[in-house]
């Protein structure tokens, strides 16, 4: 009959109780051979009780106190005169004693894993005197273990890793379980290990807990992680033992056991011929089931007709092979390329070379597509030369470009004016001949860099660019001149033959053999008695004095004309004037002052006196100016008051004129006469009325001498009037004339039937007299008939 776990524990408890009782009976029956113990006043009697330890089974679950043992002394006659006392660990709280009988009981459940034993002290006392009849004695109550604790994996769960393809028996990890039961008593703490999950890939050693591989060639690419369940069971694995489990996660690490393989045997890509250099043409990748460093690739082009045109590199992140262009593609030259590319692992594992070569090849075909390309110049740079003396329209050189496409469209040329802002050059649109458009000057711009544009006639958007460098060749077209503005001085005490200035020349031209200048005095200055010139033959000349005794009061400045000629062909020359000032010098020949005015002033006149004279003159001028101003103000003030000031004033007239027909109501032509032209200079501030008289008349009218003479007289008076305002002003003349050529227009005379007076000429005097002409003209009878 099999016993369950609970039944088995109860069975062990009963056995332990039997053993305890048998031990206690032996303790009671044993006698001590010690000497008698004497209390004071009494002889010591022989001890009749001795004990060392008691045993108590742990985890007692009964309702009554658990009997532990019995203390008894031969002094005790059973009459109740002896009292037993218990002290020490757990006394009274866990363990109690019957003071009459000496029986010890445990009142609580005991756990060996909390405390394995208790040390107590016992004493027998005389109940009457309360004095010990036996010396105090120490004993131990030991808690006897039962299998009440299962094994535990304190370090679990576990993780471990081993390389894939490891051989059988490769150690993975060791697991350890601990049991809190007493390892010295029975099999409660003896643990054995077993594997519950993870077979048949792994196994575990029962005694040590070491986990090992149980199958060969475990492939990470097939399965890279395993979960194991390990059991630890006490009682040496027998039935009724307690057990605990833990998990172990085993990860297979990668090894380079998979060679790279291209998914396809061939690839094809189309690229336009206009693709720039260094552009990516294609990306290819060889598949590798490994990871990390075991999957790192190396690509190379091993064969094909595009070895110099393309190259391949590896992308470190994706392990792809990147094919790029190294040279320009030309559809017209070659339409396709074939490449044979190899991929291989960087680090191969010698253990797995038997699985096959760790490299693979594929074929890549690149098709070049035709695109409409811009014209191409025959040369990237056209160097040209032209003399700066060339005539406008002369040919400098020719550029040539062609359409690289199969259509070979005609090309037209032009100059990029951003590179020729001054428009010095022209180009023939059809032939590409470059000519001069302006006169060239090397000294202004020695080199012209221009860009020539070539565009297809059929597709003007396709434009090619060519570059032309035009060097301007020098001619001798600039005369030499002084290198700087010289400030030459000569001392009054200079000696003959003394060098007072060294001069040099510059020339904007640049002859191939360098400059060579010749210096001399002009013909007019050759025979002067003051200075001479010496040509130093090194493009410099020295100016020397020919006499001594220069005096500032006689002449303070000398002008010396110098003739300079270059060595060009033909040679050019110029005359430059050197200004020489006479100065007062110190003993070392350093000029102190070069002013000649001091000699012109009187000998005894000082600077202070000169300033005083100038101040007096200035004061007199101010007084004269004030007097003249006051006199003009007395005659007529120049400033008008507000009523008389008519500058920029608006004058309003409420006269509406004579109606729509009166277009010449304010015509001043009646005051003009073109028959008399007077050439009189007018003032700048003449009034508008006077300036208006000088305009031509619109039509000829009868000369009215009275008005004309009156206006010219007033004009003369305004011109010569010193008090006239300096701005335009309005002149008003209330002059009506001396009479009229029409004489009397009396209505008394007009209505006479015998009147023979004819007034038709009034119609010629303008619109103002038209009404009178109608009334008194010859058409009167008709009008009123």
């Amino acid at each position: 009959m099999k016993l369950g776990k609970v039944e088995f524990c109860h069975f062990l408890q009963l056995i332990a109780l039997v053993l305890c009782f048998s031990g206690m009976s032996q303790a009671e029956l044993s006698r001590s051979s010690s000497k008698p113990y004497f209390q004071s006043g009494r002889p010591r009697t022989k001890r009749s009780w001795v004990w060392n330890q008691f045993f108590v089974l742990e985890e007692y679950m009964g309702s009554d106190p658990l009997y532990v043992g019995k203390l008894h002394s031969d002094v005790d006659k059973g009459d109740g005169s002896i009292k037993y006392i218990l002290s020490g660990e757990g006394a009274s709280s866990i363990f109690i004693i019957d003071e009459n009988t000496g029986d010890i009981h445990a009142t609580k459940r005991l756990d060996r894993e909390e405390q394995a034993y208790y040390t107590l002290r016992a004493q027998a006392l005389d109940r009457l005197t309360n004095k010990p009849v036996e010396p105090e004695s120490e004993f131990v109550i030991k808690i006897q273990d039962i299998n009440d604790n299962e094994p535990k994996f304190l370090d679990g769960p576990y993780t471990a890793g081993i390389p894939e393809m490891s051989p059988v028996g490769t150690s993975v990890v060791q697991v350890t379980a601990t049991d809190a039961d007493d390892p010295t008593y029975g099999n409660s703490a003896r643990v054995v290990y077993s594997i519950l999950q993870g077979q048949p890939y792994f196994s575990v050693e029962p005694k040590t807990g070491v986990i090992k591989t149980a199958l060969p060639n475990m492939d990470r690419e097939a399965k890279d992680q395993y979960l194991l369940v390990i059991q630890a069971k006490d009682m040496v694995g027998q039935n009724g033992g307690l057990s605990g489990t833990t998990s172990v996660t085993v990860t297979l690490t990668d090894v380079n056991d998979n060679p790279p393989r291209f998914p396809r045997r061939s690839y094809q890509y189309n690229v336009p011929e206009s693709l720039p250099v260094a552009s990516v043409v294609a990306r290819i990748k060889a598949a590798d089931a490994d990871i990390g460093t075991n999957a790192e690739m190396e690509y190379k082009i091993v064969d094909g007709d595009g070895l110099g045109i393309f190259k391949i590199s590896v992308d470190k992140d994706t392990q792809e092979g990147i094919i790029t262009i190294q040279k320009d593609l030309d559809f017209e030259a070659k339409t396709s390329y074939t490449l044979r590319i190899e991929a291989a692992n960087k680090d191969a594992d010698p253990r797995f070379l038997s699985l096959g070569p760790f490299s693979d090849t594929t074929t890549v075909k690149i098709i070049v597509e035709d695109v409409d390309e811009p014209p191409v110049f025959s040369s990237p740079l056209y160097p040209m030369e032209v003399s700066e003396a060339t005539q406008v329209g002369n040919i400098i050189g020719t550029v040539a470009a062609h359409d690289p496409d199969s259509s070979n469209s005609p090309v037209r040329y032009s100059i990029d004016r951003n590179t020729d802002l001054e428009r010095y050059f022209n180009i023939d649109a059809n032939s590409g001949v470059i000519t001069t458009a302006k006169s060239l000057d090397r000294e202004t711009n020695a080199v012209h860099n221009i860009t020539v544009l070539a565009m297809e006639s059929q597709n003007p958007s396709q434009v090619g660019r060519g570059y032309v460098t035009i060097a301007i060749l020098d001619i001798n077209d600039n005369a030499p001149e002084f290198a700087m503005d010289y400030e030459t001085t000569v001392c009054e005490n200079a000696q003959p033959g003394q060098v007072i200035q060294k001069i040099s020349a510059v020339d904007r031209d640049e002859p191939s053999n360098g400059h060579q200048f010749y210096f001399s005095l002009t013909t007019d200055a050759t025979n002067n008695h003051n200075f001479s010139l010496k040509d130093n033959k090194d493009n410099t000349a020295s100016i020397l004095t020919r006499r001594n005794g220069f005096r500032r009061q006689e002449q303070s400045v000398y002008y010396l004309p110098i003739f300079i000629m270059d060595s060009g062909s033909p040679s050019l020359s110029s005359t430059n004037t050197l200004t020489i000032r006479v100065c007062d010098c110190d003993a070392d020949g350093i000029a102190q002052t070069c002013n000649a005015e001091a000699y012109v002033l009187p000998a005894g006149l000082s600077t202070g006196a000169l300033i005083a004279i100038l101040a007096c003159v200035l004061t007199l001028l101010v007084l004269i100016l004030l007097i003249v101003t006051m006199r003009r103000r007395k005659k007529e003030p120049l400033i008008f008051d507000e009523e008389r000031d008519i500058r920029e004033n608006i004058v309003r007239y409420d006269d509406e004129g004579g109606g729509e027909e009166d277009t010449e109501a304010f015509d001043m032509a009646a005051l003009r006469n073109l028959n008399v032209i007077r050439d009189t200079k007018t003032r700048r501030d003449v009034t508008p009325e006077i300036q208006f008289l000088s305009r031509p008349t619109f039509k000829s009218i009868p000369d009215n001498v009275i008005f004309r003479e009156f206006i010219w007289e007033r004009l003369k008076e305004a011109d010569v009037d010193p008090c006239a305002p300096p701005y335009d002003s309005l002149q008003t003349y209330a002059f009506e004339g001396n009479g009229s050529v029409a004489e009397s227009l009396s209505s008394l005379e007009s209505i006479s039937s015998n009147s023979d007076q004819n007034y038709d000429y009034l119609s010629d005097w303008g619109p103002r007299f038209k009404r009178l002409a109608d009334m008194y003209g010859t058409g009167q009878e008709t009008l009123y008939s």
Side-chain angles (χ1 to χ4, degrees), residues 58 111 113 145-151 179-181 188 234 242:
E58 68 171 333
D111 188 357
E113 285 72 38
D145 184 48
I146 65 171
N147 189 20
D148 61 341
N149 290 279
E150 74 277 4
D179 196 320
D181 294 326
S188 298
D234 58 12
L242 303 179

Side-chain angles (χ1 to χ4, degrees), residues 259-267 284-287 297-300 302 340-345 356-363:
R261 292 290 181 265
F262 284 105
R264 297 166 55 183
R265 292 294 91 193
S266 64
Y267 298 86
I284 60 174
K285 183 178 182 180
M297 298 287 180
E298 287 182 341
Y299 297 90
K300 62 181 178 180
V302 296
R340 187 168 180 81
I341 297 176
E342 179 186 77
N345 283 139
F358 278 75
S359 63
D360 195 17
T361 59
T362 188
T363 300

Side-chain angles (χ1 to χ4, degrees), residues 527-720:
N527 298 323
N528 79 90
H529 302 288
N530 301 313
F531 306 99
S532 63
L533 182 144
K534 177 184 178 183
D535 192 340
N536 298 324
K537 306 301 182 182
D538 58 355
N539 290 339
T540 64
S542 300
I543 308 300
L544 297 87
T545 57
R546 300 186 68 176
R547 66 180 181 87
N548 58 359
F550 293 94
R551 294 178 61 82
R552 282 180 290 168
Q553 60 270 30
E554 295 179 358
Q555 186 173 350
S556 61
V557 179
Y558 292 89
Y559 299 99
L560 187 64
I562 299 175
F563 181 79
I564 307 175
M565 184 175 63
D566 60 19
S567 57
S569 178
S571 62
L572 297 179
S573 61
S574 66
T575 300
N576 299 262
T577 301
L578 181 66
T579 302
I580 305 174
R581 297 184 179 276
V582 181
C583 299
D584 180 22
C585 304
D586 57 11
D588 297 328
I590 300 175
Q592 298 297 317
T593 177
C594 300
N595 296 327
E597 288 78 0
Y599 290 94
V600 178
L601 296 175
L605 192 59
S606 63
T607 304
L610 179 61
I611 295 174
I613 293 172
L614 293 176
C616 293
V617 173
L618 182 60
T619 303
L620 292 174
L621 291 176
V622 172
L623 290 175
I624 293 172
L625 182 59
L626 290 175
I627 293 171
V628 173
T629 304
M630 293 301 293
R631 288 183 177 180
R632 287 187 177 182
R633 286 189 177 181
K634 289 180 180 180
K635 185 175 181 181
E636 184 176 353
L638 296 178
I639 301 176
F640 293 177
D641 54 15
E642 294 182 357
E643 296 179 356
R644 299 181 59 190
D645 190 359
I646 57 174
R647 287 177 295 171
E648 301 180 0
N649 289 338
I650 299 176
V651 180
R652 180 176 178 179
Y653 301 100
D654 293 330
D655 188 359
E656 297 182 357
E660 296 180 355
E661 297 180 356
D662 189 4
T663 58
E664 300 180 359
F666 299 97
D667 189 4
M668 295 296 292
L671 302 180
R672 302 177 189 169
N673 189 355
L674 292 179
N675 297 330
V676 179
I677 300 177
R678 298 173 183 255
D679 188 10
T680 306
K681 295 182 179 180
T682 60
R683 288 173 45 186
R684 301 174 66 95
D685 55 353
V686 174
T687 58
E689 291 81 353
I690 299 175
Q691 292 180 359
F692 188 79
L693 297 176
S694 62
R695 299 180 182 177
T697 57
F698 294 95
K699 63 181 180 178
S700 177
I701 62 175
D703 187 14
N704 194 325
V705 180
I706 298 174
F707 285 107
R708 176 164 46 81
E709 292 296 336
F710 176 80
I711 291 174
W712 278 112
E713 289 177 2
R714 293 297 183 269
L715 177 60
K716 291 179 181 180
E717 291 178 1
D719 287 339
V720 298

Side-chain angles (χ1 to χ4, degrees), residues 52 63 174 239 324 326 357 436 469 471 479 499 517 527 541 562 569 577 605 613 647 683 704 730 766 781:
N52 287 327
S63 59
Q174 183 178 12
N239 292 335
T324 55
Q326 285 185 292
T436 58
T469 299
V499 177
F517 300 118
N527 298 323
I562 299 175
S569 178
T577 301
L605 192 59
I613 293 172
R647 287 177 295 171
R683 288 173 45 186
N704 194 325
L730 180 63
E781 296 178 359

Side-chain angles (χ1 to χ4, degrees), residues 178-237:
T178 58
D179 196 320
D181 294 326
D182 189 358
T184 63
Y185 178 76
N187 296 325
S188 298
R190 294 183 62 185
V191 178
V192 294
Y193 301 94
S194 61
I195 182 168
L196 301 181
Q197 179 180 324
Q199 295 175 330
Y201 304 103
F202 299 94
S203 64
V204 62
E205 291 186 357
K207 293 183 179 180
T208 61
V210 175
I211 300 173
K212 297 181 179 180
T213 58
L215 285 180
N217 301 328
M218 285 192 293
D219 192 1
R220 183 200 66 83
E221 287 73 34
K223 186 176 182 180
D224 62 347
Q225 197 173 79
Y226 296 85
L227 180 63
L228 283 65
V229 178
I230 306 298
Q231 182 188 63
K233 190 174 184 180
D234 58 12
M235 297 300 291
V236 200

Side-chain angles (χ1 to χ4, degrees), residues 431-606:
S431 64
V433 175
I434 299 175
T435 59
T436 58
K438 284 185 179 181
S439 298
L440 304 176
D441 186 8
R442 188 203 64 83
E443 288 71 35
T444 302
N445 193 352
V447 178
H448 295 266
N449 295 307
I450 63 174
T451 301
V452 177
L453 306 178
M455 64 183 67
E456 295 182 11
S457 299
Q458 298 179 359
N459 186 6
S461 62
Q462 296 295 330
V463 179
R465 296 178 180 272
Y467 303 96
V468 180
T469 299
I470 303 175
I472 310 302
L473 302 179
D474 186 39
I475 63 171
N476 191 26
D477 59 343
N478 290 277
E481 57 187 11
F482 279 157
M484 58 180 293
D485 293 332
Y486 294 100
E487 296 181 358
T488 307
T489 60
V490 61
C491 295
E492 290 182 308
N493 56 357
Q495 301 297 321
Q498 182 177 345
V499 177
I500 61 173
Q501 183 68 60
K502 188 175 183 180
I503 61 174
S504 61
V506 293
D507 194 332
R508 296 177 63 190
D509 297 319
E510 291 185 1
S512 57
N513 297 326
H515 289 290
Q516 180 62 48
F517 300 118
Y518 303 96
F519 299 88
S520 64
L521 296 178
T522 61
T523 304
D524 298 338
T526 302
N527 298 323
N528 79 90
H529 302 288
N530 301 313
F531 306 99
S532 63
L533 182 144
K534 177 184 178 183
D535 192 340
N536 298 324
K537 306 301 182 182
D538 58 355
N539 290 339
T540 64
S542 300
I543 308 300
L544 297 87
T545 57
R546 300 186 68 176
R547 66 180 181 87
N548 58 359
F550 293 94
R551 294 178 61 82
R552 282 180 290 168
Q553 60 270 30
E554 295 179 358
Q555 186 173 350
S556 61
V557 179
Y558 292 89
Y559 299 99
L560 187 64
I562 299 175
F563 181 79
I564 307 175
M565 184 175 63
D566 60 19
S567 57
S569 178
S571 62
L572 297 179
S573 61
S574 66
T575 300
N576 299 262
T577 301
L578 181 66
T579 302
I580 305 174
R581 297 184 179 276
V582 181
C583 299
D584 180 22
C585 304
D586 57 11
D588 297 328
I590 300 175
Q592 298 297 317
T593 177
C594 300
N595 296 327
E597 288 78 0
Y599 290 94
V600 178
L601 296 175
L605 192 59
S606 63

